[in-house]
Amino acid sequence: MRMGILTGGGDCPGLNAVIRAATKTLLSKGVEVWGFKDGYRGIYLRDCQLLDRAAVSGLLHRGGTILGSNNRDNPFRFPVRAASGEIEYRDISAILVESMNSLQLQCLIAIGGDGTLSIANELCSRGAAIVGVPKTIDNDLAATDQTFGFVTAVHTATEALDKLHTTAESHHRVMILEVMGRYAGWIALWCGMAGGADVILIPEIPWQIDRVVEKIRGRQLEGKLFSIIVVAEGTPAPGGKRVVREQIANSGDPLRLGGIGEVVRELVEQETGMESRVTVLGHIQRGGSPLTTDRILATRFGVAAAELAMEGRYGYMVALKGTQITAVPLKDATKPSNVHPDGQLVHAARAVGISFGD
Ligand code: F6P
């Protein structure tokens, strides 16, 4: 029996740990495992490598993905150079399904976020045999209680906040940290709580600059001459406009967010007269070794995905529900998970004095 694995979407710490766990589980059952390069592109180009024990050795702690990844390709509008030399966008889904069949893949394990997994779901409805593994640092998938990579990203952001604290204090400044997370405020909320932020701005809670200024002024009255603000990249500016860094045509995920930190900095300086600086943490959050909990979740997901594949439960993805790993339909992968503005986490943050600018 032969199976394939690919990683799609933005990378995140723990991908290699999933590849390792799934491969080891399959190898122990006598399955031949092939890793496809750079997401679905690898199937289209038949660009793959045999994953034997040596290939997955030493991967547990390694960030990134040995298979490469891609968050630009959309197999339903895939860029192909036509005979004329022009780039044309074609639906290559039938070619992907045909490739999987002719390569005699019993099943493909697709590790990815909502984009990769919704493509997997669509391909399943066209005859492909795929099981999914949810990944994203954003933790924004409702189908699973947590995604691996999230805790590592939060840890990186928390360390950044610890560092920003010391320099903020020295210079009596307002320091703003812009973190990733797409349209969800999970990374901002967690690192803000862990890193002792004074203000956390997230997409789920509309904010006003007056409320932020009130918090900064209140701290000044207590003799605290600096403040720390965390802002999630997907937080709209006051008035509701989202700040976008780049738009990518034909991508399954066309908007690249970024720039709200600078908007916050300008408003804070204008309204308080205090010197402010913004740090955009960016892809540092996606890099590096996974933390212990992410290694364990990734390993559990990898093993469970291999087992689903062996059982022939195609069209499902693994998920964490409470303390258990379960299987949920791939079609649920696109349901977003957002911070509940009235939930316990926000309640606890408010109780310790954190402002959400509302
Ligand atoms: O989904 C993961 C993520 O890191 C988001 O937090 C961020 O908005 C996006 O990917 C960045 O994508 P890119 O790597 O294309 O800049």
Side-chain angles (χ1 to χ4, degrees), residues 10 71 136-138 180-182 233 245 256-257 283 286:
N71 63 356
T136 167
I137 61 163
D138 306 329
M180 285 184 165
R182 289 204 305 180
E233 63 178 359
R245 173 170 51 86
R256 292 293 173 274
L257 300 166
H283 292 79
R286 292 232 304 255

Side-chain angles (χ1 to χ4, degrees), residues 9-12 71-72 114 135-138 140 179-183 187 233 245-246 248 253 255-258 282-283 285-286:
D11 69 345
C12 86
N71 63 356
R72 297 196 171 219
D114 56 353
K135 71 81 227 175
T136 167
I137 61 163
D138 306 329
D140 59 350
V179 296
M180 285 184 165
R182 289 204 305 180
Y183 306 105
I187 297 178
E233 63 178 359
R245 173 170 51 86
E246 193 190 357
I248 297 153
D253 184 11
L255 290 190
R256 292 293 173 274
L257 300 166
H283 292 79
Q285 292 157 99
R286 292 232 304 255

Side-chain angles (χ1 to χ4, degrees), residues 61-260:
H61 64 282
R62 262 175 71 182
T65 160
I66 55 162
L67 297 178
S69 197
N70 183 325
N71 63 356
R72 297 196 171 219
D73 287 349
N74 176 358
F76 303 103
R77 270 188 69 76
F78 192 80
V80 176
R81 192 169 294 283
S84 63
E86 298 282 290
I87 294 289
E88 279 180 2
Y89 291 92
R90 294 191 194 145
D91 179 347
I92 58 157
S93 56
I95 301 175
L96 293 187
V97 177
E98 155 53 23
S99 279
M100 286 184 235
N101 287 336
S102 63
L103 290 166
Q104 295 181 325
L105 293 185
Q106 183 89 10
C107 177
L108 174 74
I109 297 178
I111 312 167
D114 56 353
T116 305
L117 297 178
S118 63
I119 291 167
N121 186 44
E122 198 52 49
L123 292 174
C124 281
S125 70
R126 297 172 194 210
I130 307 180
V131 304
V133 178
K135 71 81 227 175
T136 167
I137 61 163
D138 306 329
N139 200 35
D140 59 350
L141 304 179
T144 179
D145 287 353
Q146 199 157 305
T147 50
F148 63 87
F150 169 64
V151 175
T152 304
V154 168
H155 182 72
T156 301
T158 304
E159 282 186 335
L161 284 175
D162 290 347
K163 293 192 164 90
L164 288 175
H165 255 99
T166 59
T167 174
E169 197 166 3
S170 308
H171 288 270
H172 318 306
R173 283 174 172 162
V174 178
M175 299 302 270
I176 297 143
L177 181 69
E178 179 182 310
V179 296
M180 285 184 165
R182 289 204 305 180
Y183 306 105
W186 293 113
I187 297 178
L189 177 59
W190 276 49
C191 77
M193 288 179 75
D198 305 299
V199 179
I200 301 175
L201 303 176
I202 56 175
E204 294 85 349
I205 302 181
W207 62 282
Q208 295 167 27
I209 190 62
D210 294 358
R211 297 280 89 80
V212 175
V213 171
E214 209 170 270
K215 176 69 189 175
I216 295 169
R217 294 254 185 263
R219 284 175 54 79
Q220 284 177 322
L221 291 175
E222 291 170 9
K224 293 173 182 164
L225 304 180
F226 71 96
S227 288
I228 302 285
I229 302 177
V230 178
V231 59
E233 63 178 359
T235 307
K241 196 165 182 290
R242 232 183 265 286
V243 188
V244 173
R245 173 170 51 86
E246 193 190 357
Q247 295 216 26
I248 297 153
N250 298 304
S251 164
D253 184 11
L255 290 190
R256 292 293 173 274
L257 300 166
I260 183 66

Side-chain angles (χ1 to χ4, degrees), residues 139 141-147 190 293 296-297 300-301 318-328:
N139 200 35
L141 304 179
T144 179
D145 287 353
Q146 199 157 305
T147 50
W190 276 49
T293 49
I296 292 169
L297 184 57
R300 293 176 76 194
F301 275 177
V318 296
L320 179 71
K321 293 283 177 193
T323 58
Q324 298 300 306
I325 305 291
T326 59
V328 297

